[in-house]
Amino acid sequence: MNRLSPTTFSVAPMMDWTDRHCRVFHRALTRRALVYTEMLTTGAVIRGDRERLLGFDACEHPVALQLGGSNPRDLAESAKIGESFGYDEINLNVGCPSDRVQDGRFGACLMMVPQLVGDCVAAMKAAVRVPVTVKCRIGVDNQDPEQALDVLARSVVAAGADVLIVHARKAWLDGLSPKQNRDIPPLDYGRVYRLKAAMPDVTISINGGIASIAQAKDHLRHVDGVMLGRAAYHEPWRLLAVDPDLFGASAPHASMHEAIESMYPYIERERTRGTRLHAITRHMVGAFHGVAGARAFRRALAENCVKADAGVEQLRNALKLIAPAETEGAAA
């Protein structure tokens, strides 16, 4: 296994999912993983409600801000704002294939203009002292991944990027929906391994279709870091294995049951600020996947925790539907 650091394991930035409440929940499951914000556009960061968009709980560290944009000056300003809020890393999105980023000519579209990506990274590096990283694909549409990824990687590394995170699938912008692009075209982990072999001094993480901590450990024989996305969100119990299995440290809590109970003070604080319980518990739907009582737990979240006046008591009642013993020793 490579040198252990926060980049060894991370939870992917995911639109509409990895908000601050999700990140606090994930932090109750792993202290060592690096967690990411949803992608925020430079326009939102510069002109939007910064406290609402960028504010986060101190327990989330280490936490990275992912930015979407293609103007070096705007990205530099946004990175500086993110650093001032206390983020531990600023990440540039060069991989999202959604219609939104295509319309804005950023995200995966930037794979086609590697020099511009390099300019963006250089501007961000000049603006902040925290690490600046890039998350990309192996290519887009009809690009040859052998050439496209190599050119992009060398451009951003020359500009000073500290880490390159590679989603091992092409972003197909012409003819596929973002949902279809989750499975088509096939993943090519070997291409990321070859990049690491060609650039041994560059910190490279891999992302895409990784379904378990066991699979993550296999990838770490070839690259420096692993990023889990949908598996971490839909089956968050897997994160309980991150600290012991990857870092040789104890998990923050012995079980999912205890982890959720540890969220009560946070929930109470958020409720006094006007946050609805559902905004937090929606990230817990998959907490007990495959465990006796899981269906009743999900139903209780859907029926009781969505109410405007719902509080910790409703979550406590939902949790009673899961016997504590049932949450121990979930497979990773």
Side-chain angles (χ1 to χ4, degrees):
M1 187 180 295
N2 296 289
R3 180 175 58 86
L4 299 178
S5 71
T7 60
T8 299
F9 183 88
S10 58
V11 178
M14 292 174 280
M15 293 298 295
D16 300 319
W17 289 356
T18 52
D19 62 19
R20 60 193 180 94
H21 305 309
C22 174
R23 298 191 304 267
V24 170
F25 174 45
H26 286 175
R27 188 56 74 213
L29 306 173
T30 167
R31 292 190 180 94
R32 302 300 184 92
L34 177 63
V35 296
Y36 282 79
T37 68
E38 305 168 86
M39 181 188 70
L40 296 177
T41 65
T42 54
V45 171
I46 294 170
R47 294 181 289 277
D49 182 344
R50 293 179 186 173
E51 188 56 45
R52 180 180 64 83
L53 293 169
L54 296 169
F56 64 93
D57 192 277
C59 77
E60 295 177 41
H61 289 293
V63 56
L65 168 65
Q66 186 182 66
L67 295 174
S70 58
N71 181 293
R73 183 173 57 188
D74 289 349
L75 282 164
E77 182 177 354
S78 298
K80 195 168 185 178
I81 293 168
E83 182 182 49
S84 73
F85 266 78
Y87 284 95
D88 301 294
E89 172 189 311
I90 310 295
N91 177 265
L92 177 61
N93 184 319
V94 189
C96 180
S98 74
D99 294 338
R100 177 186 176 195
V101 302
Q102 291 185 57
D103 291 342
R105 302 303 296 171
F106 57 96
C109 300
L110 291 175
M111 290 291 302
M112 295 181 280
V113 282
Q115 184 55 55
L116 174 58
V117 181
D119 293 343
C120 291
V121 170
M124 295 163 72
K125 285 289 293 182
V128 299
R129 290 172 293 180
V130 296
V132 172
T133 66
V134 173
K135 187 174 188 291
C136 69
R137 297 288 187 121
I138 60 173
V140 296
D141 294 343
N142 291 312
Q143 284 185 326
D144 176 4
E146 297 299 328
Q147 180 181 21
L149 181 58
D150 185 74
V151 172
L152 187 283
R154 295 191 183 283
S155 179
V156 300
V157 169
D162 296 282
V163 178
L164 182 61
I165 305 153
V166 186
H167 186 142
R169 191 194 309 274
K170 270 190 177 184
W172 207 268
L173 307 178
D174 184 17
L176 286 182
S177 69
K179 183 176 181 180
Q180 291 171 316
N181 197 203
R182 293 173 186 169
D183 301 302
I184 304 171
L187 289 157
D188 186 356
Y189 295 133
R191 178 63 191 97
V192 186
Y193 297 167
R194 291 192 295 278
L195 179 69
K196 176 60 187 177
M199 306 179 77
D201 296 329
V202 178
T203 302
I204 294 175
S205 292
I206 196 167
N207 171 234
I210 302 165
S212 69
I213 304 306
Q215 289 182 16
K217 292 174 74 172
D218 289 340
H219 285 295
L220 286 170
R221 294 187 290 110
H222 304 278
V223 293
D224 304 291
V226 174
M227 175 180 277
L228 240 64
R230 283 175 288 164
Y233 187 84
H234 291 304
E235 299 175 337
W237 50 269
R238 294 186 183 278
L239 297 178
L240 283 169
V242 169
D243 293 3
D245 286 7
L246 298 182
F247 294 92
S250 299
H253 299 283
S255 68
M256 180 62 75
H257 200 284
E258 290 183 10
I260 291 177
E261 288 179 331
S262 78
M263 293 282 292
Y264 292 167
Y266 174 79
I267 292 170
E268 294 280 19
R269 290 197 304 272
E270 285 298 311
R271 290 291 292 122
T272 64
R273 296 169 182 167
T275 303
R276 293 184 61 159
L277 179 64
H278 175 65
I280 302 170
T281 58
R282 73 186 184 97
H283 303 299
M284 301 177 181
V285 171
F288 298 106
H289 178 76
V291 171
R295 182 175 298 179
F297 175 78
R298 291 194 299 270
R299 185 168 59 248
L301 296 186
E303 294 177 356
N304 301 322
C305 294
V306 298
K307 297 175 181 178
D309 61 348
V312 164
E313 192 59 34
Q314 281 68 38
L315 179 56
R316 184 179 286 111
N317 290 337
L319 201 56
K320 289 176 182 177
L321 300 169
I322 306 287
E326 294 288 352
T327 69
E328 306 292 342

